């Protein structure tokens, strides 16, 4: 392919599938790899008419000039990306690094907690603390043994690693909050806990550390649209204060976060999201039926036809006035 015909965008140079729903994408972007700091995220558009979605930079390699994203296929866009984002294809747009880098500070002993998909974004923080000279205790939680990923990466940067599974198929049987209790019992001098995962998990972690007055940071994932502090979509409540996760976070003091409000706001577009995913999966089934015969492909390019069919709502419509 000559340069003029090369697709425009950021090349995917690696991919690994951890489970039927979770996959990693390694993307070539030397400038982003150079600028990225633990805790930051990017906004991705996989194709020209695709939705913008925020994804955490789960790893970066300055020498190779790559960043790694770990994605869970939960709805229309992440499922579409699971099919289309293969090695050799490109992401149409990649904006970042965004958000305030996680302060690695002067903590001497830290606990880095990742639950499920949250294991990926906690990795750069665990490595950053280790590089800063801290004693790092990693706590990773999965539903079951077959969902475990990146244990080797954590082994390389953690002084201790506590693995928890809901069903007891690997490590201790229990939640990450049980892992934190174990860590606190054997280390009375923990300076800080950082927890990333589903809101309920982060809330549970904050409740375990509250009586011990251990500083606890959590990474919030409210719905984001522009990612630049303009739309108000990512408002989060901390006590009496309102913050925008995209520009004031995404890391916040877990003891102050109003998790009930966060969870309620995350469910706000559930019906629209369900409709979008249904329309997309019906279109995929149509694509499978028409492609072999080429009937639609004869009348107009398949990509155009599909992008018309998946002509979704404008995300800015949803957040008028914040
Ligand atoms: C700072 C930040 C970092 C994130 N990092 C990761 C990551 O590393 N890996 C990963 O798999 N996911 C990450 N997410 C969540 C990811 O953005 C959503 O899963 C994705 O947007 C879902 O889109 P969808 O069309 O596939 O699903 P939809 O069906 O549209 O939504 C499914 C659920 O995803 C959430 N969601 C939907 N749209 C958005 C949006 N624009 N912004 C935030 N959440 C949304 C909502 O809770 C929704 O109920 C992150 C979110 C934020 C805010
Ligand atoms: S996404 Fe944060 S203000 Fe719009």
């Amino acid at each position: 392919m000559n340069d003029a015909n090369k697709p425009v965008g950021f090349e995917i140079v690696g991919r690994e599938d951890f489970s039927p729903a979770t996959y990693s994408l390694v993307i070539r972007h030397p400038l982003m790899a150079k600028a990225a700091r633990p805790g930051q995220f990017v906004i991705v558009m996989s194709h020209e008419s695709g939705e913008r979605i925020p994804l955490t930079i789960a790893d970066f390699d300055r020498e190779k000039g790559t960043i790694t994203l770990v994605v869970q296929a939960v709805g229309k866009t992440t499922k579409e990306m699971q099919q289309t984002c293969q090695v050799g294809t490109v992401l149409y747009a990649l904006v970042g690094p965004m958000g305030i880098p996680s302060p690695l500070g002067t903590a001497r002993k830290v606990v880095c907690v990742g639950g499920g998909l949250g294991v990926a974004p906690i990795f750069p923080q665990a490595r950053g603390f280790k590089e800063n000279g801290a004693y790092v205790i990693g706590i990773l939680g999965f539903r079951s043994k077959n969902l475990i990923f990146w244990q080797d990466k954590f082994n390389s940067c953690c002084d201790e690693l506590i693995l928890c599974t809901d069903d007891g198929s690997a490590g201790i049987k229990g939640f990450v909050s049980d892992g934190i209790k174990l860590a606190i019992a054997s280390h009375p001098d923990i300076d800080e806990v950082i927890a990333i995962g589903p809101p309920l998990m982060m809330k549970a972690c904050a409740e375990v550390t509250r009586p011990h007055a251990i500083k606890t940071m959590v990474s919030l994932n409210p719905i984001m649209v522009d990612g630049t502090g303009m739309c108000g979509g990512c408002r989060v409540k901390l006590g009496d204060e309102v913050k925008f996760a995209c520009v004031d976070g995404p890391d916040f003091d877990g003891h102050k976060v109003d998790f009930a409000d966060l969870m309620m706001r995350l469910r706000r577009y559930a019906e629209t999201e369900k409709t979008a995913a249904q329309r997309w999966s019906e279109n995929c089934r149509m694509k499978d039926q028409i492609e072999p015969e080429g009937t639609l492909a004869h009348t107009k390019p398949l990509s155009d036809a599909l992008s018309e069919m998946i002509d979704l709502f404008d995300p800015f419509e949803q957040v008028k006035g914040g």
Side-chain angles (χ1 to χ4, degrees), residues 21-23 39-43 51-58 68-81 98 117-118 120-121 196 219-226 234 245-246 249-250 262-263 265-270 272-277 312-313 315 318:
T22 311
Y23 53 99
Q40 290 188 296
F41 64 95
V42 288
I43 292 211
E51 182 189 15
R52 292 176 293 267
I53 61 161
L55 296 169
T56 307
I57 301 172
T68 302
L69 308 174
V70 176
V71 190
Q72 193 160 39
V74 291
K76 187 251 160 191
T77 299
T78 46
K79 287 183 180 174
E80 183 184 37
M81 285 174 67
M98 307 183 101
L117 185 77
I196 308 185
S219 179
L220 300 188
N221 60 341
I223 292 186
M224 290 186 181
V225 182
D226 64 309
C234 67
C246 65
L262 174 70
M263 289 185 263
R265 288 178 67 85
L266 276 169
R267 286 194 297 269
R268 233 167 18 145
Y269 305 115
T272 323
E273 285 156 355
K274 205 169 129 196
T275 310
L312 295 171
F313 52 83
Q318 302 178 345

Side-chain angles (χ1 to χ4, degrees), residues 139-218:
I139 300 180
L140 310 183
F142 296 93
R143 282 206 314 277
S144 178
K145 186 180 177 177
N146 59 328
L147 298 174
I148 296 172
F149 64 90
W150 282 11
Q151 193 180 348
D152 50 339
K153 282 168 86 99
F154 282 89
N155 275 328
S156 70
C157 67
C158 292
D159 296 281
E160 284 179 43
L161 190 62
I162 302 174
L163 187 62
C164 314
T165 50
D166 296 3
D167 62 3
S169 50
I172 62 163
K173 184 175 188 312
F175 299 134
V176 288
S177 46
D178 299 314
I180 300 177
K181 286 178 195 161
L182 283 179
I184 292 175
S186 47
H187 297 276
D189 53 346
I190 291 168
D191 294 310
E192 187 173 338
V193 171
I194 306 99
I196 308 185
L200 260 184
M201 182 214 99
M202 295 190 284
K203 183 175 191 293
C205 294
E207 290 316 319
V208 171
T209 58
R210 195 189 296 276
H212 302 273
I214 299 172
K215 179 182 174 188
T216 300
M217 299 300 286
V218 293

Side-chain angles (χ1 to χ4, degrees), residues 8-319:
V8 180
F10 303 96
E11 191 187 357
I12 297 170
V13 294
R15 169 171 170 150
E16 198 178 338
D17 287 78
F18 299 132
S19 76
T22 311
Y23 53 99
S24 70
L25 302 175
V26 183
I27 299 135
R28 191 189 316 283
H29 196 322
L31 276 180
M32 186 87 74
K34 207 169 160 188
R37 300 283 179 278
Q40 290 188 296
F41 64 95
V42 288
I43 292 211
V44 173
M45 276 173 81
S46 64
H47 58 85
E48 196 173 357
S49 48
E51 182 189 15
R52 292 176 293 267
I53 61 161
L55 296 169
T56 307
I57 301 172
D59 198 0
F60 47 87
D61 187 323
R62 298 200 169 114
E63 279 176 23
K64 290 186 183 151
T66 58
I67 63 159
T68 302
L69 308 174
V70 176
V71 190
Q72 193 160 39
V74 291
K76 187 251 160 191
T77 299
T78 46
K79 287 183 180 174
E80 183 184 37
M81 285 174 67
Q82 190 181 25
Q83 288 194 3
T84 58
C85 293
Q86 304 294 339
V87 173
T89 65
V90 296
L91 292 177
Y92 174 72
L94 194 59
V95 182
M98 307 183 101
I100 299 176
S102 309
L104 299 175
T106 52
R108 302 319 308 153
K109 192 174 273 189
V110 296
V111 179
C112 293
V113 188
L117 185 77
V119 164
I122 200 76
F123 171 71
Q125 302 206 32
R127 181 177 59 188
F129 277 115
K130 187 72 206 155
E131 285 167 359
N132 251 14
Y135 185 90
V136 180
I137 303 166
I139 300 180
L140 310 183
F142 296 93
R143 282 206 314 277
S144 178
K145 186 180 177 177
N146 59 328
L147 298 174
I148 296 172
F149 64 90
W150 282 11
Q151 193 180 348
D152 50 339
K153 282 168 86 99
F154 282 89
N155 275 328
S156 70
C157 67
C158 292
D159 296 281
E160 284 179 43
L161 190 62
I162 302 174
L163 187 62
C164 314
T165 50
D166 296 3
D167 62 3
S169 50
I172 62 163
K173 184 175 188 312
F175 299 134
V176 288
S177 46
D178 299 314
I180 300 177
K181 286 178 195 161
L182 283 179
I184 292 175
S186 47
H187 297 276
D189 53 346
I190 291 168
D191 294 310
E192 187 173 338
V193 171
I194 306 99
I196 308 185
L200 260 184
M201 182 214 99
M202 295 190 284
K203 183 175 191 293
C205 294
E207 290 316 319
V208 171
T209 58
R210 195 189 296 276
H212 302 273
I214 299 172
K215 179 182 174 188
T216 300
M217 299 300 286
V218 293
S219 179
L220 300 188
N221 60 341
I223 292 186
M224 290 186 181
V225 182
D226 64 309
T228 61
M230 290 194 288
C231 72
C234 67
R235 271 182 313 196
V236 289
K237 279 195 204 161
L238 284 93
D240 295 336
E241 282 185 297
V242 172
K243 299 274 184 189
F244 289 173
C246 65
V247 287
D248 300 321
D251 292 357
F252 294 101
D253 182 342
H255 293 149
K256 292 188 180 159
V257 171
D258 183 339
F259 284 102
D261 180 72
L262 174 70
M263 289 185 263
M264 191 261 294
R265 288 178 67 85
L266 276 169
R267 286 194 297 269
R268 233 167 18 145
Y269 305 115
E271 274 309 307
T272 323
E273 285 156 355
K274 205 169 129 196
T275 310
Q278 266 167 2
R279 285 173 66 188
W280 175 78
S281 88
E282 279 159 19
N283 291 331
C284 276
R285 282 199 294 277
M286 268 179 77
K287 175 176 175 279
D288 289 344
Q289 283 167 14
I290 57 183
E291 218 166 19
E293 288 84 31
T295 36
L296 186 57
H298 277 222
T299 52
K300 63 167 77 174
L302 189 57
S303 56
D304 289 358
L306 279 173
S307 72
E308 274 173 29
M309 286 189 285
I310 44 182
D311 179 25
L312 295 171
F313 52 83
D314 175 355
F316 278 101
E317 281 292 306
Q318 302 178 345
V319 285

